[in-house]
């Protein structure tokens, strides 16, 4: 049974930045969150058609967040050393930040956003510009790619509605000794840090190790290791192999990290509905605290802007009904977001260089997951008495 515990209101597509002329035709949906009492999976109640999200207009590029470029280079080097895979496939290869670390002869990508698939194809990585399905998996096999020693996906698997279909398609192409490694935001970290803004259309599911272990076993796959990462405000990297039902598949012992994470989640109460009702109360308080703070500062004549036109801030601004009357503009390093308006709240998004931060008194951290990087870049602003605002883990002003 799916029990609803959180309502984040009418929300737009988180990355559908738009021009003023398109305001009236903007797609909105009810962003509600449910708990599956059987699998313990957390999902949004109403899924949005992926074609509406991941298409030629999708603006998010990993390479515009340089800390992520470093993260994926180090991840590739670690996986190369640990598993020495000959054949590699990445599901959700975006603009190729991870793929680029591998030789392009036995490495392929899957990327439904055609403009990104063109980038990696031009770099010599065969890239299928399609959504990940069992049909595509079979097609790739028929195209001569027998199987893969490493199947990798970052911030992608939690973006796919049908997880059984997803894992069946992976199992179909995973070599007998192969490893499937994927990383996504951690449900436990989201509850610990009240980072409710990780919930938006692109994230139909928010993963716990508990829920994933249940669903993967049902699809003949087994988690043998978990790394807890700091990226994106707290993510899990999950290592999966075939369920060793018979000797054909290589047996990979389940490492302590799996039990430790399952116990941490159990002790925190992730299997109980009550923990989500408590979370919803904290989210509501976070909303009231943020609106109260921004309104007071505006009434005191202060000027506020935001750094990072993130998907996360789309959820915050629309849930808290924040618009240009409170936050004058948002800067972002992504060219395709600049000159547009933010989804739903319609706040102008501009290039960082076009803004003199010292004209403002406060900066809201839309990209709070890059707090240190941004605070470091904006030392002048702090030295001139500027202050930052964040809502994670609580609404706070800092400098
Ligand atoms: O899961 C997802 C993650 C991987 O990325 C996707 N569904 C969508 C997207 O989510 P997000 O938009 O919340 O991700 P980021 O990585 O927090 O976005 C950071 C944004 O901030 C980018 O648009 C780039 C921008 N930025 C900036 O303007 N100045 C980033 C840095 C580091 C900066 O200094």
């Amino acid at each position: 049974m799916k029990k609803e515990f959180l309502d984040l209101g009418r929300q737009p597509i988180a990355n559908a930045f738009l021009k003023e002329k398109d305001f009236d035709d903007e797609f909105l949906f009810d962003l509600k969150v449910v708990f599956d009492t059987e699998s313990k999976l957390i999902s949004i109640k109403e899924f949005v058609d992926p074609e509406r999200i991941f298409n030629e207009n999708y603006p998010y590029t990993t390479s515009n967040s340089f800390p992520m470029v470093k993260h994926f280079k180090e991840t590739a080097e670690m996986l190369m050393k640990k598993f020495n895979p000959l054949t590699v496939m990445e599901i959700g290869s975006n603009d190729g930040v991870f793929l680029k670390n591998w030789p392009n002869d036995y490495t392929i990508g899957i990327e439904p956003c055609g403009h990104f698939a063109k980038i990696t194809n031009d770099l010599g990585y065969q890239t299928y510009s399609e959504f990940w399905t069992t049909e595509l998996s079979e097609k790739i096999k028929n195209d001569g790619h027998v199987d893969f020693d490493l199947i990798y996906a970052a911030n992608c698997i939690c973006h796919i509605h049908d997880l059984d279909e997803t894992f069946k398609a992976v199992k179909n192409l995973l070599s007998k000794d192969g490893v499937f490694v994927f990383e996504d935001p951690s449900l436990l970290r989201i509850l610990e840090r009240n980072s409710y803004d990780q919930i938006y259309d692109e994230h139909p599911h928010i993963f716990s190790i508990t829920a994933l272990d249940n669903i993967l076993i049902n699809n003949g796959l087994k988690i043998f290791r978990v790394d807890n990462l700091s990226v994106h405000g707290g993510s899990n990297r999950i290592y999966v192999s075939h369920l060793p039902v018979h000797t054909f598949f290589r047996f990979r012992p389940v490492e302590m990290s799996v039990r430790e994470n399952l116990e941490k989640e159990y002790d925190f109460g992730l299997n109980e509905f009550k923990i989500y009702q408590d979370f919803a109360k904290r989210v509501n308080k976070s909303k009231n605290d943020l609106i109260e703070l921004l309104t007071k500062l505006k009434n005191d004549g202060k000027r506020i802007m935001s750094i990072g036109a993130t998907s996360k801030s789309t959820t915050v601004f629309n849930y808290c009904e924040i618009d240009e009357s409170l936050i004058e503009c948002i800067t972002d390093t992504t060219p395709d977001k600049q000159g547009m308006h933010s989804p739903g709240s319609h706040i102008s998004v501009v290039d960082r260089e076009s803004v003199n931060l010292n004209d403002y008194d406060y900066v809201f951290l839309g990209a709070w997951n890059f707090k240190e990087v941004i605070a470091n870049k904006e030392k002048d602003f702090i030295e001139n008495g500027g202050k930052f605002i964040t809502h994670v883990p609580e609404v706070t002003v800092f400098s």
Side-chain angles (χ1 to χ4, degrees), residues 107-374:
T107 301
I108 73 167
I110 314 294
E111 178 47 65
C113 299
H115 54 311
F116 294 155
K118 182 176 182 326
I119 294 172
T120 47
N121 271 312
D122 291 351
L123 289 167
Y125 296 92
Q126 182 184 10
T127 306
Y128 290 80
S129 187
E130 300 177 43
F131 288 100
W132 180 246
T133 61
T134 49
E135 201 186 327
L136 174 60
S137 176
E138 205 45 38
K139 176 178 163 189
I140 293 170
K141 186 168 270 193
N142 297 339
D143 286 354
H145 298 285
V146 179
D147 56 25
F148 293 89
D149 301 331
L150 171 64
I151 298 178
Y152 180 75
N155 306 301
C156 177
I157 302 299
C158 74
H159 292 50
I160 307 176
H161 301 169
D162 188 333
L163 297 174
D164 291 326
E165 164 92 0
T166 299
F167 295 141
K168 276 192 187 63
V170 164
K171 186 170 179 66
N172 180 45
L173 277 172
L174 188 63
S175 67
K176 65 181 178 56
D177 301 344
V179 290
F180 168 40
V181 179
F182 64 104
E183 51 185 81
D184 284 304
S186 151
L187 175 65
L188 180 59
R189 293 300 283 145
I190 288 170
L191 266 66
E192 286 172 339
R193 315 185 73 196
N194 306 323
S195 50
Y196 65 88
D197 54 2
Q198 284 287 15
I199 301 168
Y200 49 89
D201 56 294
E202 292 178 28
H203 290 171
H205 310 293
I206 306 284
F207 288 152
S208 64
I209 305 302
T210 307
L212 280 173
D213 203 31
N214 296 335
I215 300 166
L216 283 159
I217 285 174
N218 292 345
N219 288 286
L221 295 165
K222 179 73 189 127
I223 301 177
F224 66 88
R225 178 190 167 98
V226 176
D227 296 344
N228 303 128
L229 311 173
S230 62
V231 288
H232 288 299
S235 296
N236 288 321
R237 179 184 294 133
I238 294 136
Y239 299 73
V240 171
S241 64
H242 288 286
L243 201 58
V245 284
H246 49 64
T247 53
F248 175 69
F249 295 126
R250 170 168 169 177
F251 174 71
R252 289 188 186 274
V254 176
E255 300 178 19
M256 276 304 289
S257 59
V258 179
R259 185 204 309 276
E260 285 159 1
N261 278 273
L262 290 170
E263 282 172 4
K264 250 192 313 182
E265 292 182 354
Y266 182 84
D267 297 345
F268 189 91
L270 287 197
N271 297 0
E272 308 308 324
F273 185 60
K274 182 172 178 326
I275 212 77
Y276 301 103
Q277 293 172 306
D278 298 347
F279 172 62
K281 291 190 189 114
R282 295 197 301 278
V283 171
N284 194 30
K285 179 180 183 316
S286 173
K287 169 182 178 174
N288 297 336
D289 292 351
L290 184 58
I291 296 169
E292 194 185 316
L293 172 66
L294 297 179
T295 308
K296 178 182 176 315
L297 293 175
K298 287 306 285 189
N299 292 345
D300 297 349
K302 302 300 182 188
R303 296 189 66 188
I304 313 168
M305 54 84 67
S306 181
I307 290 182
T310 55
S311 319
K312 295 182 284 292
S313 54
T314 297
T315 294
V316 174
F317 293 160
N318 287 281
Y319 174 54
C320 301
E321 296 168 22
I322 292 167
D323 60 15
E324 278 183 348
S325 67
L326 292 174
I327 291 196
E328 293 181 39
C329 69
I330 309 170
T331 67
D332 197 279
T333 51
T334 313
D336 288 354
K337 295 182 182 181
Q338 297 159 359
M340 306 292 274
H341 287 81
S342 63
S345 50
H346 302 161
I347 301 171
S348 313
V349 182
V350 296
D351 182 355
R352 170 68 189 81
E353 275 57 47
S354 67
V355 170
N356 176 355
L357 230 52
N358 295 323
D359 293 344
Y360 295 87
D361 305 287
Y362 292 85
V363 168
F364 176 78
L365 269 183
W368 54 266
N369 45 314
F370 295 116
K371 181 178 172 181
E372 284 72 30
V373 170
I374 293 170

Side-chain angles (χ1 to χ4, degrees), residues 14-34:
N15 267 299
F17 292 84
L18 67 173
K19 295 278 184 198
E20 196 157 346
K21 64 179 177 54
D22 302 317
F23 284 179
D24 298 345
D25 311 327
E26 192 169 20
F27 171 87
L28 298 174
F29 73 105
D30 294 325
L31 181 55
K32 295 179 176 178
V33 194
V34 295

